[in-house]
């Protein structure tokens, strides 16, 4: 185990042919096995939340960041911690507080004495330099600190001074936030929100799940999930997923769905005109198709379907759409509006 | 294992493509697409779809055929059906033939409706793949497969394999016809429509068809006799004269025993030798050009009736000629201005006025005569021409003398009287010297009109002259333009009623025939105890009535 060499590839890197000599069918098989293994391990620590786990896996394979929103105690942090262990990747946790500074996240240049006693500046990496970062209570940090996350979340690099520090792939930020407590919090900037591929709502567990949670925690609070997948394997899964086929019509539908969230466009859905203040960015369309490919492969398909797009529309669009006062007045949430847009876009499709 | 082999074989063929030319690569791609479709059962679905389309097209064809059949049935129900004699076999034959036609009409409607529907309902591969995906919940696999059928990537081949596996698990027979109920409802509605049209009763006329009856009226017979007599008294040579008279007599006899109007009409038409005299007369008139030529042509016609008409026209024109000649002559003879009152006292006359009127009259006549001479085409060396020219010169000289006072009116009259004999001689020639074409043309029209006016005598509609037709068209246009000024109340009819079998209104009997009324009046007049003087007055009344109607026609 000590001698095992982990090769890390960055996005866009070509895997050498000799390392990619498995048949397509074997690679797909490996994909399914890994997904299953991740799920099984996570279930050891997290009770219920099957859909959340699935979507988190989708986001990780797709290479996106995830924002988990839920009331305290529903297992958000535990899920991410467990994931950190399952993925067998360097994991770091940043507890976001109002006094957290950007350098506390990204790292900073510090003055150090070398062996000869001379003073040199040296970049000391912050906690962001990991493959999996848990940004706990992300909305408690000031906008200044949150802005420090923008570059790393999108471009997977950190610029300090004149130096650019690349972050090893795979890299994900899994952030949590509390929707109830508003005191001492700062709403996330739209630019940052857009960098999360998914916003997942972690609901209160069902009674049955709650029973299991209570029973499990009576025995031990330890998290038992173990590593089942390497970074290299995740990148391989990502590459495989990117090859999944998308029919032109399905692709057009995904784009129509995203552009349909823009009330300023003539082609938008009627509900958009009524309830949406501003729509999703082009990143949403990219995220929708990329994640749909992963989801299709997870379900054993080699092509994306309308259902994939429709199901993923909620986590992809809910933090990218801003509803207006009419929606609030009509007691409609973002998910309700998305549902309406989907239905109206389906009609156009037919 | 076999599946793996298929994939590797496929990949092998893909890798071989790179060595091919662009054209061959295209061909190979097409071959792969075809192969993909075959492997994934797309063609099998297509076959099933064609069957479904055929079923739908048949339903559309039936619906259209029923619809057209219904329309045809309505038409047969609206048009009255005359079934006489009402023999069951006749009725059966009529209905069998009607149903045969109905069947043919429906078959004709079915074929194009079926063809249009069958080919019109055909969908493209993409659209059809979409249907398969929707019906079998293939999650857009078929669409994607079709789009990437020529793709040589590993994922595409895997996807094809996946589709193949899914399709193999399906039963092609389960491909359901979409919206079939609409087609079935259409057929049912069309069937209902045709059934309703069948329920509409036929308009069958079972009675014997009413044909117009004919009875030769006294007036008609009298007219025929007149024609016969005029033929006999004409200058026609024997035996043509007798032949014509016999023919007219035969016609009269035949008409006497004829009770059917159509038969009578045919007899008259036959007797004039032409089913439609209109064309014949027009042709002859056109050919003749002048009244004289027309007379010549008519009297030489093959048909005795036409020959007789020609003779009558000659006679008529000679009378007209006399009238014309008299008018001309009168214009040359001075008037006696010495008038006396009741007590015998001579009235004083304004001689200046008389003189100026005479001068004007002389100059007008001289001018007219000169113009006529120029237009006549008579050779200037001709003695008649010379004489007429001298008359014009003399008249102009006389007018000048009167005007400048060289002579007085009485002297001039004396000189004029001396020329009386000469005027009488030359007036006969003046007619020919006048505008020959104009006179001939008008006389030609008159001849044509005379012939036409004889038609109503036999209950026939008088043919219209070609020129009148054009004139009428122009008049119609004018009438349309002056619609507001149009008087719809006036008019004394078209003149065709007299002596005919046309119906008129009678207070006691409703609609009766005009000819019968006139006959009745004649009978009353002849059989009653009227005095000869009263009868004469009544006869004159009828004559006036007859002449009046004729004049109207002439106008």
């Amino acid at each position: 185990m000590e001698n095992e060499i982990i090769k890390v590839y960055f996005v866009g890197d070509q895997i050498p042919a000799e390392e990619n000599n498995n048949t397509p069918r074997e690679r797909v098989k490996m994909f399914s096995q890994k997904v299953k293994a991740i799920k099984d391990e996570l279930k050891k620590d997290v009770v219920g939340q099957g859909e959340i786990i699935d979507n988190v896996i989708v986001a990780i394979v797709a290479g996106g960041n995830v924002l988990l929103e839920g009331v305290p105690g529903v297992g958000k942090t535990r899920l991410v911690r467990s994931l950190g262990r399952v993925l067998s990747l360097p994991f770091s946790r940043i507890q976001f507080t109002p006094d957290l500074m950007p350098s506390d996240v990204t790292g900073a240049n510090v003055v150090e004495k070398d062996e000869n006693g001379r003073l040199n500046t040296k970049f000391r990496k912050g906690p962001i330099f990991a493959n999996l970062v848990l940004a706990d209570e992300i909305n408690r940090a000031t906008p200044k600190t949150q802005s420090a996350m923008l570059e790393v979340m999108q471009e997977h690099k950190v610029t300090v001074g004149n130096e650019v520090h690349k972050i090893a792939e795979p890299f994900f930020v899994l952030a949590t936030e509390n929707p109830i407590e508003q005191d001492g919090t700062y709403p996330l900037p739209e630019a940052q929100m857009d960098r999360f591929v998914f916003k997942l709502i972690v609901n209160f567990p069902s009674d049955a799940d709650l029973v299991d949670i209570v029973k499990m925690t009576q025995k031990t609070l330890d998290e038992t999930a173990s590593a089942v997948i390497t970074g290299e394997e995740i990148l391989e899964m990502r590459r495989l997923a990117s090859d999944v086929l998308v029919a032109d019509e399905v692709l057009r539908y995904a784009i129509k769905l995203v552009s349909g969230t823009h009330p300023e466009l003539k082609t938008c859905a009627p509900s958009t005109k009524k309830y949406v203040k501003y729509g999703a960015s082009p990143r949403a369309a990219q995220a929708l198709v990329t994640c749909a490919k992963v989801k299709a492969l997870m379900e054993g398909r080699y092509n994306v379907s309308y259902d994939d797009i429709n199901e993923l529309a909620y986590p992809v669009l809910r933090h990218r759409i801003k509803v207006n006062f009419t929606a609030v007045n009509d007691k409609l949430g973002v998910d309700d509006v998305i549902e309406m847009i989907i239905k109206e876009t389906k009609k156009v499709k037919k | 294992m076999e599946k793996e082999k298929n994939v590797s074989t496929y990949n092998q063929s893909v890798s071989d493509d790179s060595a091919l030319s662009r054209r061959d690569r295209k061909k190979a791609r097409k071959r792969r697409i075809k192969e993909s479709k075959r492997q994934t059962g797309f063609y099998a679905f297509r076959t099933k779809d064609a069957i479904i389309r055929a079923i739908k097209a048949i339903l559309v064809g039936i619906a259209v055929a029923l619809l057209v059949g219904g329309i045809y049935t309505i038409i047969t129900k609206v048009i009255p059906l005359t079934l006489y004699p009402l023999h069951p076999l006749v009725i059966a034959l009529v209905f069998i033939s009607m149903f045969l036609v109905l069947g043919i009409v429906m078959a004709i409607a079915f074929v194009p409706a079926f063809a249009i529907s069958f080919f019109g309902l055909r969908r493209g591969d993409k659209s059809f793949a979409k249907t398969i995906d929707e019906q079998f919940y293939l999650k857009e696999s078929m669409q994607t497969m079709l789009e990437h059928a020529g793709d040589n990537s590993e994922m595409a081949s895997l996807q094809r394999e996946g589709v193949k596996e899914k399709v193999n698990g399906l039963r092609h027979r389960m491909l359901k016809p979409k919206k079939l109920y609409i087609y079935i409802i259409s057929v049912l509605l069309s069937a209902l429509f045709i059934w309703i049209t069948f329920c509409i009763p036929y308009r069958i006329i079972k009675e014997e068809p009413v044909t117009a009856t004919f009875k030769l009226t006294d007036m008609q017979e009298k007219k025929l006799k007149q024609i016969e007599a005029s033929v006999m008294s004409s200058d026609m040579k024997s035996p043509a004269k007798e032949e014509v008279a016999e023919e007219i007599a035969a016609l009269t006899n035949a008409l006497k025993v004829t009770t059917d109007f159509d038969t009578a009409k045919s007899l008259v038409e036959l007797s004039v030798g032409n089913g439609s005299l209109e064309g014949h007369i027009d042709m002859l008139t056109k050919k003749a050009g002048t009244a004289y030529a027309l007379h010549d042509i008519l009297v030489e016609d093959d048909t005795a009736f036409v020959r007789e008409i020609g003779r009558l026209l000659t006679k008529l024109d000679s009378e007209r000629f006399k009238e014309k000649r008299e008018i001309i002559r009168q214009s040359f003879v001075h008037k006696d201005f010495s008038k006396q009152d009741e007590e015998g006292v001579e009235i004083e006359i304004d001689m200046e006025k008389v003189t100026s009127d005479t001068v004007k009259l002389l100059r007008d006549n001289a001018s007219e005569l000169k113009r006529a001479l120029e237009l006549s085409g008579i050779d200037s060396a001709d003695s008649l021409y010379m004489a007429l020219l001298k008359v014009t010169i003399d008249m102009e000289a006389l007018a000048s003398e009167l005007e400048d006072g060289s002579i007085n009116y009485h002297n001039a009259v004396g000189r004029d009287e001396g020329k009386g004999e000469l005027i009488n001689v030359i007036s006969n020639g003046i007619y020919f010297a006048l505008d020959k074409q104009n006179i001939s043309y008008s006389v030609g029209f008159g001849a044509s009109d005379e012939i036409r006016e004889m038609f109503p005598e036999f209950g026939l509609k008088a043919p219209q002259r070609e020129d009148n037709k054009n004139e009428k068209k122009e008049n119609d246009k004018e009438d349309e333009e002056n619609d507001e000024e149009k008087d719809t109340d006036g008019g004394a009819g078209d003149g065709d009623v007299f002596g005919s079998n046309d119906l008129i209104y009678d207070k006691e009997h409703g609609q009766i025939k005009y000819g019968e009324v006139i006959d009745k009046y004649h009978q009353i007049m002849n059989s009653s105890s009227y005095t000869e003087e009263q009868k004469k007055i009544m006869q004159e009344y009828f004559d006036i009535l007859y002449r009046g109607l004729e004049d109207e026609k002439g106008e």
Side-chain angles (χ1 to χ4, degrees):
Chain A
M1 190 71 187
E2 284 176 8
N3 297 329
E4 191 179 337
I5 299 165
I6 297 172
K7 288 186 181 176
V8 177
Y9 298 97
F10 294 97
V11 173
D13 289 352
Q14 289 294 317
I15 298 172
E18 64 273 15
E19 294 178 25
N20 191 22
N21 54 4
N22 290 335
T23 61
R25 193 167 290 277
E26 282 170 351
R27 289 166 67 201
V28 172
K29 197 177 173 184
M30 185 273 286
F31 185 97
S32 303
Q33 284 170 349
K34 290 294 172 189
V35 169
K36 190 176 178 299
I38 294 168
K39 278 186 188 177
D40 290 345
E41 286 303 313
L42 286 176
K43 278 178 185 172
K44 287 178 182 173
D45 291 339
V46 181
V47 177
Q49 309 293 1
E51 194 185 335
I52 299 291
I53 291 169
D54 283 350
N55 283 335
V56 166
I57 295 168
V58 168
I60 284 168
V61 176
N65 310 301
V66 180
L67 176 63
L68 294 159
E69 187 181 273
V71 293
V74 289
K76 302 187 292 289
T77 311
R78 189 182 175 92
L79 168 67
V80 180
R81 271 204 318 269
S82 297
L83 198 63
R85 278 202 307 283
V86 168
L87 295 185
S88 182
L89 289 168
F91 170 76
S92 66
R93 174 176 177 162
I94 308 169
Q95 191 65 47
F96 278 66
T97 55
D99 58 350
L100 189 76
M101 296 301 288
S103 57
D104 296 336
V105 177
T106 59
N109 287 323
V110 292
V111 180
E112 277 185 352
K113 273 186 182 176
D114 62 8
E115 292 167 352
N116 302 323
R118 281 184 297 188
L119 292 172
N120 290 322
T121 56
K122 188 183 176 186
F123 179 69
R124 180 165 287 178
K125 291 177 180 176
I128 202 74
F129 284 87
N131 289 99
L132 179 61
V133 177
L134 166 59
D136 207 15
E137 305 273 4
I138 193 169
N139 56 339
R140 290 196 180 278
T142 58
K144 185 182 176 183
T145 309
Q146 284 172 7
S147 297
M149 301 283 286
L150 293 178
E151 187 186 13
V152 71
M153 283 174 77
Q154 180 62 32
E155 297 167 37
H156 297 191
K157 63 185 172 60
V158 173
T159 307
V160 178
N162 291 327
E163 286 181 30
V164 177
H165 304 275
K166 229 175 177 183
I167 293 180
E169 293 290 344
F171 174 79
F172 330 97
V173 175
L174 286 103
T176 66
E177 70 172 3
N178 184 345
I180 300 168
E181 289 178 50
Q182 298 299 318
D183 292 340
T185 62
Y186 301 91
L188 297 181
E190 301 308 332
Q192 191 179 4
M193 285 292 250
D194 201 29
R195 279 157 172 79
F196 287 106
V197 72
F198 283 167
K199 179 182 178 181
L200 303 173
I201 308 293
V202 186
N203 291 318
F204 192 78
S206 64
D207 286 355
D209 288 342
L210 201 56
V211 169
D212 290 341
I213 290 166
V214 172
K215 277 182 183 175
M216 189 173 77
T217 50
Q218 292 302 309
K219 291 175 187 172
T220 176
L221 285 171
D222 292 342
E223 288 159 2
T224 55
S226 54
V228 289
I229 187 165
T230 63
E232 191 184 335
E233 285 169 334
I234 288 172
L235 290 174
E236 170 57 21
M237 285 168 78
R238 188 180 299 173
R239 265 189 292 275
L240 189 66
S242 69
D243 288 340
V244 169
L245 307 175
V246 190
D248 281 348
E249 205 167 328
V250 178
L251 189 66
R252 277 200 296 274
Y253 172 70
I255 288 158
K256 196 172 271 184
L257 199 62
V258 174
S259 63
T261 62
H262 285 262
E264 72 277 10
L265 297 179
K266 282 181 183 174
T267 52
C268 73
S271 303
T272 305
K273 209 109 200 157
K274 195 175 177 185
Y275 295 121
V276 179
K277 195 173 175 184
Y278 57 82
S281 70
R283 279 198 190 101
Q286 289 172 322
L288 200 54
V289 175
T290 310
C291 296
K293 285 180 171 183
V294 178
K295 186 172 168 61
L297 205 57
M298 277 170 67
E299 290 178 6
R301 275 182 287 113
Y302 308 105
N303 64 282
V304 176
S305 73
Y306 291 118
D307 290 345
D308 298 329
I309 303 287
N310 289 338
E311 283 171 27
L312 294 175
Y314 295 94
V316 169
L317 297 176
R318 65 163 65 104
H319 56 294
R320 291 181 163 104
I321 291 175
K322 186 89 173 174
V323 293
N324 59 19
F325 181 73
T326 313
V328 178
N329 194 42
D330 290 352
K331 292 174 184 171
L332 291 171
V334 182
D335 283 7
D336 298 323
V337 176
I338 292 169
E339 192 179 345
M340 287 179 189
I341 294 169
I342 289 170
K343 280 179 185 169
E344 285 157 8
T345 312
K346 264 185 187 174
K347 279 181 192 169
V348 175
K349 182 189 82 176
K350 282 179 180 176
Chain B
M1 191 64 192
E2 197 183 329
K3 284 173 194 168
E4 292 290 344
K5 195 181 171 186
N6 283 340
V7 172
S8 60
T9 311
Y10 175 80
N11 288 336
Q12 184 64 39
S13 68
V14 166
S15 61
D16 288 344
D17 273 9
S18 55
L20 297 172
S21 66
R22 193 177 169 183
R23 196 176 168 186
D24 290 341
R25 271 207 301 275
K26 258 188 176 179
K27 276 185 183 174
R29 190 173 181 278
K30 275 187 181 175
R31 200 171 53 245
R32 279 203 300 276
I33 291 170
K34 211 171 175 181
E35 185 61 20
S36 301
K37 284 181 181 177
R38 194 189 60 74
Q39 280 186 1
T40 52
F42 187 76
Y43 288 128
F45 279 116
R46 265 290 191 205
T47 311
K48 299 289 169 192
D49 183 55
I51 294 166
I52 290 166
R53 259 193 302 132
I55 292 167
K56 283 180 179 177
I58 287 168
L59 290 172
V60 169
I62 291 170
V64 171
L66 289 171
L67 211 64
V68 173
I71 292 164
Y72 166 78
T73 313
I74 286 175
I75 292 166
T76 58
K77 300 288 174 84
V78 169
I79 296 168
L81 193 64
T82 308
L83 295 175
Y84 181 83
L86 201 62
H87 193 277
L89 190 64
V90 174
I91 295 170
L93 279 171
V94 167
F95 281 97
I96 285 168
S97 60
M98 277 170 65
F99 278 106
L100 270 173
V101 174
L102 175 67
I104 293 163
V105 166
M106 286 173 73
I108 290 168
F110 174 85
V111 174
F114 171 81
I116 291 167
S117 311
F118 185 74
F119 293 107
L121 288 168
R122 196 172 187 277
R123 287 171 291 176
D125 281 355
K126 264 191 178 182
S127 170
F128 182 60
K130 198 174 169 184
T131 308
I132 297 172
D133 284 336
E134 281 172 8
Q135 280 206 16
F136 297 104
Y137 307 103
L138 294 179
K139 301 241 173 189
E140 287 66 62
S141 301
M142 193 60 91
Q143 286 180 72
T144 314
M145 185 281 292
L146 269 185
E147 269 183 32
H148 297 87
D151 196 345
N152 55 11
S153 69
E154 290 175 350
M155 192 56 80
S157 54
L158 273 175
Q159 203 266 345
R160 274 189 288 274
E161 284 296 312
V163 174
K164 194 179 166 186
E165 281 170 24
K166 282 180 187 173
V167 169
N168 283 341
L170 298 169
R171 285 167 61 201
H172 295 175
R173 284 179 189 281
M174 283 169 69
L175 190 68
K176 289 172 191 168
K178 215 174 175 184
K179 293 178 182 172
L180 189 67
Y181 65 93
I182 291 174
Y183 296 88
I184 294 168
I185 288 170
S186 304
V187 171
L188 291 174
L189 285 173
S190 300
L192 183 70
F193 171 68
I194 200 167
W195 182 75
I196 290 167
T197 60
F198 281 140
C199 293
I200 299 169
Y202 282 100
R203 286 181 63 195
I204 298 172
I205 298 166
K206 295 175 182 175
E207 294 165 358
E208 184 180 351
V210 180
T211 54
T213 53
F214 175 82
K215 188 177 183 300
L216 188 70
T217 63
D218 289 348
M219 289 291 271
Q220 287 168 341
E221 194 179 341
K222 191 181 166 185
K223 189 75 185 176
L224 285 165
K225 294 276 185 197
Q226 276 177 8
I227 294 170
E228 193 183 337
S230 62
V231 168
M232 288 306 289
S233 62
S234 70
D235 297 334
M236 279 175 78
K237 290 177 182 175
S238 296
K241 187 196 280 184
E242 286 75 22
E243 275 177 22
V244 172
E246 276 172 26
E247 200 173 321
I248 295 166
L251 173 66
T252 311
N253 292 333
L255 288 173
K256 271 181 187 174
V257 294
T258 304
T259 54
D260 181 8
F261 182 78
D262 290 338
T263 312
K265 198 173 169 180
S266 310
L267 281 170
V268 174
E269 284 175 351
L270 280 170
S271 69
V272 299
N274 195 323
S276 169
L277 263 185
E278 184 180 15
H280 191 60
I281 298 289
D282 282 345
M283 188 266 287
L284 291 177
T285 311
K286 202 172 177 181
K287 192 178 167 187
T290 65
Y292 297 103
L294 178 65
H295 299 163
D296 294 342
I297 287 171
L298 289 176
V299 295
E300 286 171 9
D301 196 78
D302 293 337
T303 315
F305 190 78
V306 176
R307 287 201 299 272
E308 171 58 13
I309 287 166
R311 195 197 61 75
L312 286 172
L313 280 174
T314 310
K315 193 180 169 187
L316 181 77
D317 279 343
S318 65
E319 282 167 7
R320 284 186 182 171
F321 168 68
K322 278 177 194 168
E323 284 171 23
K324 189 79 185 175
R325 193 180 55 183
E326 185 57 25
I327 291 163
I328 295 164
R329 200 186 67 79
Q330 284 292 323
S331 69
F332 286 93
V333 178
H334 78 276
K335 289 174 185 173
D336 187 6
F337 292 101
S338 57
K339 290 188 178 176
Q340 291 179 336
D341 62 8
E342 288 175 358
E343 293 171 359
V345 179
E346 196 169 315
I347 298 167
E348 202 175 320
I349 298 167
D350 181 358
M351 288 312 294
E352 280 187 19
K353 190 178 182 300
V354 168
T355 305
S356 68
D357 284 349
T358 309
V359 167
K360 191 177 179 297
L361 182 71
L362 283 167
R363 281 189 173 149
D364 285 349
N365 283 330
S367 168
E368 194 181 335
L369 189 57
K370 197 183 268 183
R371 184 174 155 273
L373 280 169
E374 285 166 6
L375 294 168
S376 66
I378 301 172
D379 188 1
S380 58
D382 191 275
S383 57
L384 177 63
Y385 185 89
M386 300 289 279
L388 287 169
L389 194 65
K390 190 172 183 306
V391 170
T392 59
I393 293 162
D394 286 351
M395 280 195 289
E396 279 172 349
L398 189 62
S400 301
E401 284 177 47
L402 271 170
E403 200 172 38
D404 62 19
S406 306
I407 56 164
N408 61 25
Y409 176 75
H410 293 289
N411 291 338
V413 169
R415 203 188 292 179
D416 192 29
E417 279 175 346
K419 292 176 182 171
E421 192 58 30
L422 174 65
I423 287 167
N424 277 334
V425 172
I426 65 171
S427 63
N428 291 329
I430 287 172
Y431 174 71
F432 300 101
L434 287 172
D435 188 350
K436 196 177 175 184
Q437 284 302 315
N438 280 340
I439 293 169
S440 298
Y441 190 61
S442 65
V443 172
F445 272 1
S448 182
D449 287 345
E450 285 295 324
I451 296 163
R452 287 167 215 283
E453 282 165 14
M454 294 180 81
F455 276 69
E457 296 296 322
F458 299 97
L460 300 173
K461 194 177 176 184
Q464 202 175 12
R465 203 170 46 224
E466 204 58 43
D467 295 31
N468 282 359
K469 280 178 190 171
N470 297 334
E471 211 171 281
K472 197 180 174 188
K473 279 177 192 169
E474 283 169 16
N475 290 341
D476 287 347
K477 280 181 191 171
E478 282 175 19
D479 287 349
E480 280 170 22
E481 285 167 10
N482 304 321
D483 207 23
E484 286 176 10
E485 293 169 21
K486 197 176 176 184
D487 181 12
T488 53
D489 297 324
D494 58 5
D496 292 344
V497 176
F498 183 79
S500 72
N501 283 301
D502 287 354
L503 296 172
I504 59 163
Y505 180 74
D506 181 77
K507 206 190 283 180
E508 289 177 13
H509 304 95
Q511 297 275 317
I512 57 166
K513 285 168 186 165
Y514 189 84
E516 287 176 7
V517 180
I518 298 291
D519 278 353
K520 197 177 162 188
Y521 289 162
H522 265 280
Q523 282 164 14
I524 292 165
M525 185 185 82
N526 293 325
S527 62
S528 61
S529 57
Y530 294 117
T531 62
E532 284 305 311
E533 195 180 351
Q534 284 173 325
K535 280 182 182 175
K536 194 183 172 189
I537 291 166
M538 280 189 269
Q539 184 58 53
E540 278 174 1
Y541 167 74
F542 284 120
D543 288 345
I544 289 163
L545 183 66
Y546 174 71
R547 186 54 56 191
L549 285 169
E550 282 212 324
D551 287 346
E552 276 179 20
K553 281 182 262 179
E555 281 168 17

